[in-house]
Coordinates of all heavy atoms in Angstrom, one line a residue:
V1149 N 0.8 -1.2 0.0 CA 0.0 0.0 0.0 C 0.9 1.3 0.0 O 0.7 2.2 -0.8 CB -1.0 0.0 1.2 CG1 -1.7 1.3 1.3 CG2 -2.0 -1.1 1.0
A1150 N 1.9 1.3 0.8 CA 2.8 2.4 0.8 C 3.5 2.6 -0.5 O 3.6 3.8 -1.0 CB 3.9 2.2 1.9
A1151 N 3.9 1.5 -1.1 CA 4.6 1.6 -2.5 C 3.6 2.2 -3.5 O 4.0 3.0 -4.3 CB 5.0 0.2 -2.9
E1152 N 2.4 1.8 -3.5 CA 1.4 2.3 -4.4 C 1.1 3.8 -4.2 O 1.0 4.5 -5.2 CB 0.1 1.5 -4.4 CG 0.2 0.1 -4.9 CD 0.6 0.0 -6.4 OE1 0.4 1.0 -7.1 OE2 1.2 -1.0 -6.7
L1153 N 0.9 4.2 -3.0 CA 0.7 5.6 -2.7 C 1.8 6.5 -3.1 O 1.7 7.5 -3.6 CB 0.3 5.8 -1.2 CG -1.1 5.1 -0.8 CD1 -1.3 5.4 0.7 CD2 -2.2 5.5 -1.6
C1154 N 3.1 6.0 -2.8 CA 4.3 6.7 -3.1 C 4.4 6.8 -4.7 O 4.7 7.9 -5.2 CB 5.5 6.1 -2.5 SG 5.5 6.3 -0.7
A1155 N 4.2 5.7 -5.3 CA 4.3 5.7 -6.8 C 3.3 6.7 -7.4 O 3.6 7.4 -8.4 CB 4.1 4.3 -7.3
N1156 N 2.1 6.7 -6.8 CA 1.0 7.7 -7.3 C 1.5 9.1 -7.1 O 1.2 10.0 -7.9 CB -0.3 7.4 -6.7 CG -1.0 6.2 -7.4 OD1 -0.5 5.6 -8.4 ND2 -2.0 5.7 -6.7
A1157 N 2.1 9.4 -6.0 CA 2.5 10.7 -5.6 C 3.5 11.2 -6.7 O 3.6 12.4 -7.1 CB 3.1 10.8 -4.3
V1158 N 4.4 10.3 -7.1 CA 5.4 10.6 -8.2 C 4.8 10.7 -9.5 O 5.1 11.7 -10.3 CB 6.5 9.5 -8.1 CG1 7.5 9.7 -9.3 CG2 7.4 9.6 -6.8
R1159 N 3.9 9.8 -9.9 CA 3.4 9.8 -11.2 C 2.3 10.8 -11.4 O 2.3 11.4 -12.5 CB 2.8 8.4 -11.5 CG 2.3 8.2 -12.9 CD 2.0 6.8 -13.2 NE 1.8 6.7 -14.7 CZ 1.6 5.5 -15.2 NH1 1.5 4.4 -14.6 NH2 1.4 5.5 -16.5
H1160 N 1.4 11.0 -10.5 CA 0.3 11.9 -10.6 C 0.3 13.2 -9.8 O -0.4 14.1 -10.1 CB -1.0 11.2 -10.3 CG -1.2 9.9 -11.1 ND1 -1.4 9.9 -12.4 CD2 -1.2 8.6 -10.7 CE1 -1.5 8.6 -12.8 NE2 -1.3 7.8 -11.8
G1161 N 1.3 13.2 -8.8 CA 1.3 14.4 -8.0 C 2.6 15.2 -8.1 O 2.9 16.1 -7.3
H1162 N 3.4 14.9 -9.1 CA 4.7 15.5 -9.3 C 4.6 16.9 -9.8 O 3.9 17.3 -10.6 CB 5.5 14.7 -10.3 CG 6.8 15.4 -10.7 ND1 7.9 15.3 -9.9 CD2 7.2 16.1 -11.8 CE1 8.9 15.9 -10.5 NE2 8.5 16.5 -11.6
V1163 N 5.3 17.8 -9.0 CA 5.6 19.2 -9.4 C 7.1 19.4 -9.4 O 7.7 19.0 -8.4 CB 4.9 20.2 -8.5 CG1 5.2 21.6 -8.8 CG2 3.3 20.0 -8.5
A1164 N 7.6 19.8 -10.5 CA 9.1 20.0 -10.6 C 9.6 20.8 -9.4 O 9.1 21.8 -9.0 CB 9.4 20.7 -11.9
G1165 N 10.6 20.2 -8.8 CA 11.3 20.9 -7.6 C 10.6 20.7 -6.3 O 11.0 21.2 -5.3
R1166 N 9.5 19.9 -6.3 CA 8.8 19.7 -5.0 C 8.9 18.2 -4.6 O 8.8 17.3 -5.4 CB 7.3 20.1 -5.2 CG 7.1 21.5 -5.5 CD 7.3 22.4 -4.3 NE 7.1 23.8 -4.7 CZ 6.1 24.5 -4.3 NH1 5.1 24.0 -3.7 NH2 6.0 25.8 -4.7
D1167 N 9.1 18.0 -3.3 CA 9.2 16.7 -2.8 C 7.8 16.1 -2.4 O 6.8 16.9 -2.3 CB 10.0 16.6 -1.5 CG 11.5 17.0 -1.8 OD1 11.9 16.8 -3.0 OD2 12.2 17.4 -0.9
F1168 N 7.7 14.9 -2.1 CA 6.5 14.3 -1.5 C 6.8 13.9 -0.1 O 8.0 13.7 0.2 CB 5.8 13.2 -2.3 CG 6.6 11.9 -2.3 CD1 6.3 10.9 -1.4 CD2 7.6 11.6 -3.3 CE1 7.0 9.7 -1.5 CE2 8.2 10.5 -3.3 CZ 7.9 9.5 -2.4
H1169 N 5.8 13.8 0.8 CA 6.1 13.6 2.2 C 5.3 12.3 2.6 O 4.2 12.1 2.2 CB 5.5 14.7 3.1 CG 5.8 14.6 4.5 ND1 4.8 14.1 5.4 CD2 6.9 14.9 5.2 CE1 5.3 14.1 6.6 NE2 6.5 14.6 6.5
V1170 N 6.0 11.5 3.4 CA 5.4 10.2 3.9 C 5.3 10.3 5.5 O 6.3 10.7 6.1 CB 6.2 9.0 3.5 CG1 5.7 7.7 4.1 CG2 6.2 8.8 2.0
L1171 N 4.2 10.0 6.0 CA 4.0 9.8 7.4 C 3.4 8.4 7.6 O 2.3 8.0 7.1 CB 3.1 10.8 8.0 CG 2.7 10.7 9.5 CD1 3.9 10.7 10.4 CD2 1.6 11.7 9.9
L1172 N 4.2 7.6 8.4 CA 3.8 6.2 8.7 C 3.6 6.1 10.2 O 4.4 6.5 11.0 CB 4.9 5.3 8.3 CG 4.7 3.8 8.4 CD1 3.6 3.3 7.4 CD2 6.0 3.0 8.2
T1173 N 2.4 5.7 10.6 CA 2.0 5.6 12.0 C 1.5 4.2 12.4 O 0.6 3.8 11.7 CB 0.9 6.7 12.4 OG1 1.4 8.0 11.9 CG2 0.7 6.7 13.9
A1174 N 2.1 3.6 13.4 CA 1.6 2.3 13.9 C 1.1 2.5 15.3 O 1.8 3.0 16.2 CB 2.7 1.3 13.8
D1175 N -0.2 2.1 15.5 CA -0.8 2.2 16.8 C -1.2 0.8 17.3 O -2.1 0.2 16.9 CB -2.1 3.1 16.6 CG -2.8 3.4 18.0 OD1 -2.3 2.8 19.0 OD2 -3.7 4.2 18.0
P1176 N -0.4 0.4 18.3 CA -0.7 -1.0 18.8 C -2.0 -1.1 19.5 O -2.6 -2.1 19.6 CB 0.5 -1.2 19.8 CG 1.5 -0.2 19.5 CD 0.8 0.9 18.8
A1177 N -2.5 0.0 20.1 CA -3.8 0.0 20.8 C -5.0 -0.3 19.8 O -5.9 -1.0 20.2 CB -4.1 1.3 21.5
T1178 N -4.9 0.1 18.6 CA -5.9 -0.2 17.6 C -5.6 -1.2 16.6 O -6.4 -1.7 15.8 CB -6.3 1.1 16.8 OG1 -5.1 1.6 16.1 CG2 -6.8 2.2 17.7
G1179 N -4.3 -1.6 16.6 CA -3.8 -2.7 15.7 C -3.8 -2.2 14.2 O -4.1 -3.0 13.3

């Protein structure tokens, strides 16, 4: 899922000179 979202950010969300940002959060309380 992370790979697909990142690939889409590059393929469809690319703006020259701009990066994309990833936030990954794991919550053991909710699994």
Side-chain angles (χ1 to χ4, degrees):
V1149 169
E1152 290 299 336
L1153 295 183
C1154 292
N1156 282 351
V1158 169
R1159 186 170 191 175
H1160 304 292
H1162 174 77
V1163 173
R1166 300 286 177 103
D1167 295 337
F1168 71 94
H1169 183 265
V1170 174
L1171 174 61
L1172 185 68
T1173 308
D1175 187 351
T1178 60

